[in-house]
Amino acid sequence: GAGVSQSPRYKVAKRGQDVALRCDPISGHVSLFWYQQALGQGPEFLTYFQNEAQLDKSGLPSDRFFAERPEGSVSTLKIQRTQQEDSAVYLCASSLQGQNYEQYFGPGTRLTVT
Amino acid sequence: DQQVKQNSPSLSVQEGRISILNCDYTNSMFDYFLWYKKYPAEGPTFLISISSIKDKNEDGRFTVFLNKSAKHLSLHIVPSQPGDSAVYFCAADQGGKLIFGQGTELSVKP
């Protein structure tokens, strides 16, 4: 079956621009997660949805970051007024259930802010 | 402060031998752990997991060992194959969110 897909795969934005990153989870997966991965580091948690409810957004680095999952399937991570420190790979993962269960990752979106 | 640590950034192993990747954690409340493999330009791929009620879980060539008293887990790959060359991440589940280590780059030489 189809895995988690993300688009675009690569995004170059000028500093100050807004960007929107899309995630299509595995069909039927209730939980959806966003992570940020800097070069040479492990992924770091940003936010977590169970269906359309955003249960945890403690990892979002600033109020410029916003995520939504309005119908409980596709999710969008939006970054407003991008800054150079936002450059990273943004990973989306989905899971059948929220806790103590394997998460399946998409290929990521590499964001470069110039 | 890193709650999950992989202290070896890299490991090189001969094909056919055992690869042992190590991971330490600080939070004794963690009760579920996972290992992921990552190739360049791809997302992490789930390999194997273990619940804290167990001390070992095996799946084919991959075995994960958990030592709760030492707050240490390890991933054993036997026998190692060149296709296993990748970055390996351990992660702890904290209420659904995964806390990752920094990764260990494994190189398996023919």
Side-chain angles (χ1 to χ4, degrees):
Chain A
V4 177
S5 61
Q6 293 185 245
S7 61
R9 290 294 314 275
Y10 303 91
K11 176 70 179 176
V12 178
K14 290 192 189 320
R15 189 171 51 188
Q17 279 185 331
D18 297 349
V19 298
L21 312 180
R22 177 187 167 107
C23 173
D24 285 82
I26 294 172
S27 177
H29 279 195
V30 166
S31 299
L32 185 146
F33 305 82
W34 283 98
Y35 294 85
Q36 180 190 59
Q37 185 173 21
L39 197 62
Q41 301 295 318
E44 290 194 1
F45 171 80
L46 293 176
T47 187
Y48 158 38
F49 290 85
Q50 188 158 308
N51 296 306
E52 68 278 4
Q54 190 173 21
L55 298 189
D56 187 344
K57 54 181 181 178
S58 62
L60 295 176
S62 77
D63 58 7
R64 297 185 296 104
F65 286 72
F66 172 77
E68 59 183 7
R69 194 186 185 199
E71 296 177 359
S73 56
V74 170
S75 176
T76 305
L77 176 67
K78 297 179 179 177
I79 309 173
Q80 297 177 322
R81 304 181 303 282
T82 52
Q83 300 178 6
Q84 283 193 312
E85 62 262 31
D86 301 334
S87 296
V89 175
Y90 291 85
L91 293 162
C92 175
S94 70
S95 175
L96 271 174
Q97 57 191 59
Q99 189 169 337
N100 293 356
Y101 209 82
E102 52 264 33
Q103 297 179 18
Y104 295 90
F105 283 81
T109 295
R110 178 176 294 279
L111 173 66
T112 303
V113 181
T114 61
Chain B
D1 194 27
Q2 283 250 281
Q3 295 190 76
V4 177
K5 294 182 186 178
Q6 293 175 259
N7 291 317
S8 298
S10 62
L11 175 68
S12 184
V13 168
Q14 207 67 31
E15 182 179 6
R17 308 294 286 266
I18 184 170
S19 295
I20 300 176
L21 297 111
N22 294 303
C23 179
D24 296 294
Y25 60 96
T26 57
N27 189 339
S28 57
M29 299 298 290
F30 289 152
D31 60 4
Y32 191 74
F33 302 89
L34 309 91
W35 283 94
Y36 284 84
K37 176 168 80 171
K38 188 180 183 304
Y39 293 120
E42 295 184 13
T45 302
F46 170 74
L47 275 177
I48 192 168
S49 60
I50 188 165
S51 164
S52 61
I53 62 173
K54 295 184 173 183
D55 53 20
K56 176 182 172 181
N57 190 24
E58 194 170 350
D59 184 1
R61 297 186 298 115
F62 301 92
T63 303
V64 56
F65 295 91
L66 176 61
N67 182 335
K68 289 185 287 294
S69 60
K71 296 195 189 70
H72 177 84
L73 64 156
S74 61
L75 175 68
H76 293 209
I77 307 173
V78 183
S80 302
Q81 299 172 354
D84 295 330
S85 297
V87 178
Y88 288 78
F89 292 97
C90 68
D93 188 299
Q94 186 177 51
K97 70 183 183 187
L98 298 184
I99 312 294
F100 284 87
Q102 307 95 306
T104 296
E105 183 169 10
L106 173 66
S107 175
V108 180
K109 301 195 182 306

